[in-house]
Amino acid sequence: MQLILEGLSKKYPKNKLFENLNHTFEINNTYAITGENGSGKSTLIKIIAGVIAPSKGIVKYVEKGKLIDKESIYQILGITAPYLNLIEEFTLKEHLDFHSKFKTTLMNTDIMEEIKKANLIQSLNKPIAEFSSGMQQRLKLILCCSFNAKVLLLDEPTSHLDSMGIEWYKDLINRTSNERITLIASNNPDEYNDFAKKIINIEG
Ligand SMILES: Nc1ncnc2c1ncn2[C@@H]1O[C@H](COP(=O)(O)OP(=O)(O)OP(=O)(O)O)[C@@H](O)[C@H]1O
């Protein structure tokens, strides 16, 4: 599996973000995307996820030498970001059931064990509207990391996590980042220093 950025540029009418980004991301590796506030990290994640279009260039997902078509990439993507919200009316259990309808859990992963490790087991039947921001972030990370996806896009993964939450996050990534490409968009070395094979500064 490869994720390839070819000549990727993005500008808004009043704002030029990045220009001519070229990179090939390989399976079994974790990468950090860094850059000042407003440099375009979240924008790049959205372009890679196919949510918005680049001004120039192309994003290619390649599996065994074959290009994966745009309509199918959601099957191999796991994404978490501050602007992606859980469903407030659903309980944690309903989120797991819903997610399980289109993604399977990682091999050797017991999802209830993951919920316990995240200290969320007592909230299984609570609606998300009653979760703190840190609890929501822990669930978002589990939904992203503990289910099968060849490419993980993590935008500010430790937002709202306390120091224990950050240690839990590091353990989660260590246990789940094999056999996939993980991209971490962040300016916080705590979020990527332990894992990143390469740090890509979006500002060049
Ligand atoms: N739809 C849009 N129209 C115009 N400008 C936009 C739009 N979306 C984002 N921007 C601008 O693009 C720039 C990059 O935003 P982005 O959120 O990608 O940056 P970032 O590097 O992730 O920032 P941060 O570190 O603060 O999270 C910002 O100046 C933002 O205001």
Side-chain angles (χ1 to χ4, degrees), residues 16-34:
K16 199 174 187 179
L17 300 186
F18 44 84
E19 196 157 26
N20 198 27
L21 279 185
N22 292 286
H23 204 85
T24 298
F25 302 100
E26 305 279 354
I27 196 100
N28 258 322
N29 285 304
T30 297
Y31 303 83
I33 311 282
T34 64

Side-chain angles (χ1 to χ4, degrees), residues 122-171:
Q122 67 285 6
S123 305
L124 207 55
N125 295 308
K126 218 187 243 186
I128 298 304
E130 294 176 22
F131 275 43
S132 72
S133 307
M135 289 164 75
Q136 292 189 34
Q137 185 62 17
R138 279 178 269 148
L139 177 55
K140 281 164 72 170
L141 285 164
I142 289 175
L143 294 176
C144 186
C145 299
S146 300
F147 286 80
N148 275 307
K150 283 273 167 70
V151 177
L152 290 193
L153 305 176
L154 309 179
D155 195 350
E156 298 181 19
T158 67
S159 54
H160 304 296
L161 296 187
D162 56 18
S163 54
M164 266 174 68
I166 292 172
E167 290 312 307
W168 165 82
Y169 155 80
K170 289 180 179 175
D171 178 56

Side-chain angles (χ1 to χ4, degrees), residues 12-13 15 17 35-44 155-156 187:
Y12 286 113
N15 201 352
L17 300 186
E36 295 299 306
N37 289 146
S39 56
K41 300 179 297 297
S42 297
T43 303
L44 177 61
D155 195 350
E156 298 181 19
N187 276 324

Side-chain angles (χ1 to χ4, degrees), residues 96 105 109-116 142-143 146-147:
L96 293 178
T105 46
T109 296
D110 177 342
I111 204 68
M112 284 307 155
E113 278 303 313
E114 295 300 326
I115 297 295
K116 273 185 205 159
I142 289 175
L143 294 176
S146 300
F147 286 80

Side-chain angles (χ1 to χ4, degrees), residues 40-194:
K41 300 179 297 297
S42 297
T43 303
L44 177 61
I45 294 290
K46 288 177 192 168
I47 291 172
I48 292 172
V51 178
I52 58 174
S55 307
K56 266 193 203 158
I58 187 164
V59 177
K60 289 179 180 168
Y61 287 82
V62 180
E63 174 92 76
K64 294 180 186 143
K66 272 193 175 170
L67 209 57
I68 300 173
D69 57 298
K70 268 189 181 164
E71 288 70 31
S72 306
I73 62 167
Y74 76 93
Q75 292 172 335
I76 56 159
L77 267 187
I79 179 165
T80 182
Y83 43 85
L84 292 175
N85 293 320
L86 298 164
I87 302 163
E88 294 234 313
E89 294 77 12
F90 275 19
T91 63
L92 191 166
K93 175 80 171 49
E94 285 167 339
H95 268 94
L96 293 178
D97 292 345
F98 181 61
H99 211 70
S100 302
K101 289 195 197 309
F102 49 95
K103 286 226 166 76
T104 51
T105 46
L106 288 181
M107 220 165 49
N108 303 326
T109 296
D110 177 342
I111 204 68
M112 284 307 155
E113 278 303 313
E114 295 300 326
I115 297 295
K116 273 185 205 159
K117 281 191 177 128
N119 215 6
L120 291 172
I121 197 77
Q122 67 285 6
S123 305
L124 207 55
N125 295 308
K126 218 187 243 186
I128 298 304
E130 294 176 22
F131 275 43
S132 72
S133 307
M135 289 164 75
Q136 292 189 34
Q137 185 62 17
R138 279 178 269 148
L139 177 55
K140 281 164 72 170
L141 285 164
I142 289 175
L143 294 176
C144 186
C145 299
S146 300
F147 286 80
N148 275 307
K150 283 273 167 70
V151 177
L152 290 193
L153 305 176
L154 309 179
D155 195 350
E156 298 181 19
T158 67
S159 54
H160 304 296
L161 296 187
D162 56 18
S163 54
M164 266 174 68
I166 292 172
E167 290 312 307
W168 165 82
Y169 155 80
K170 289 180 179 175
D171 178 56
L172 180 73
I173 298 295
N174 269 327
R175 287 184 293 105
T176 60
S177 57
N178 293 333
E179 300 293 318
R180 50 177 38 159
I181 297 169
T182 305
L183 264 53
I184 303 173
S186 167
N187 276 324
N188 174 2
D190 239 4
E191 296 186 316
Y192 59 79
N193 253 2
D194 290 0

